[in-house]
Amino acid sequence: MERTFAMIKPDGVRRGLTPEILARIARKGYRVVGLKQMVISRETAESHYGEHRERPFFGELVSFITGGPVVAIALEGENAIAGWRGMMGATNPANAAPGTIRADFATTTGENVTHGSDSSESAERELGLFFRPEELL
Ligand SMILES: Nc1ncnc2c1ncn2[C@@H]1O[C@H](COP(=O)(O)OP(=O)(O)OP(=O)(O)O)[C@@H](O)[C@H]1O
């Protein structure tokens, strides 16, 4: 069993996509072991996206991700890290496979509805950044 960190970004929450995305997660058979709607602090956002600090879009990315509530989700299941990234589709929705969340709902690379950890190291780091141990099943 593997755990990963998933997030519905502010554009997805604002557009009312939370129930649809949770339904897709349930259909896939993943167990939701942590869930909260929250506003991310600038400090958390800068830490979460630390690898992009030098990129030209970093300021825009931090403003976007802190600009409204997100839904933070801890998922558990077999191969959950790659499986959830597969459900999201490519970062740029123009390249996302049909039937993925980004192909179905996202319009731009900047506002692409969801996030998912890309490795077991980032999953562990991001779960720790967003959830205290006692908040998880
Ligand atoms: N060229 C870009 N212009 C604007 N925003 C970008 C660009 N590239 C990436 N981003 C933003 O930064 C996030 C992180 O980029 P990364 O390359 O890690 O993609 P990802 O791993 O698919 O996305 P995420 O980390 O959100 O799951 C993207 O989801 C997107 O919101």
Side-chain angles (χ1 to χ4, degrees):
M1 263 326 163
E2 192 170 69
R3 286 190 172 191
T4 193
F5 176 67
M7 179 167 69
I8 306 175
K9 296 183 182 183
D11 57 327
V13 175
R14 196 178 302 121
R15 291 165 60 199
L17 296 174
T18 301
E20 167 62 24
I21 291 167
L22 290 174
R24 289 184 182 213
I25 288 169
R27 282 203 294 277
K28 181 86 175 174
Y30 294 142
R31 180 170 176 237
V32 174
V33 294
L35 179 83
K36 57 180 160 184
Q37 181 163 310
M38 61 190 287
V39 174
I40 305 182
S41 68
R42 170 162 290 270
E43 192 186 8
T44 298
E46 289 181 353
S47 168
H48 177 70
Y49 282 124
E51 65 180 297
H52 297 302
R53 197 174 290 277
E54 305 306 327
R55 306 278 283 276
F57 57 82
F58 184 70
E60 199 185 320
L61 179 58
V62 169
S63 303
F64 163 63
I65 211 74
T66 58
V70 304
V71 175
I73 307 166
L75 288 184
E76 185 181 83
E78 209 161 302
N79 211 14
I81 296 173
W84 167 243
R85 284 185 68 87
M87 287 174 67
M88 293 198 298
T91 307
N92 180 346
N95 303 326
T100 61
I101 291 168
R102 284 166 171 167
D104 289 347
F105 303 117
T107 48
T108 66
T109 299
E111 304 204 358
N112 56 10
V113 183
T114 49
H115 162 80
S117 308
D118 61 7
S119 65
S120 49
E121 294 72 30
S122 35
E124 197 171 324
R125 187 177 71 82
E126 293 169 2
L127 286 168
L129 191 56
F130 284 86
F131 292 100
R132 297 194 305 276
E134 65 270 26
E135 292 177 317
L136 299 176
L137 294 177

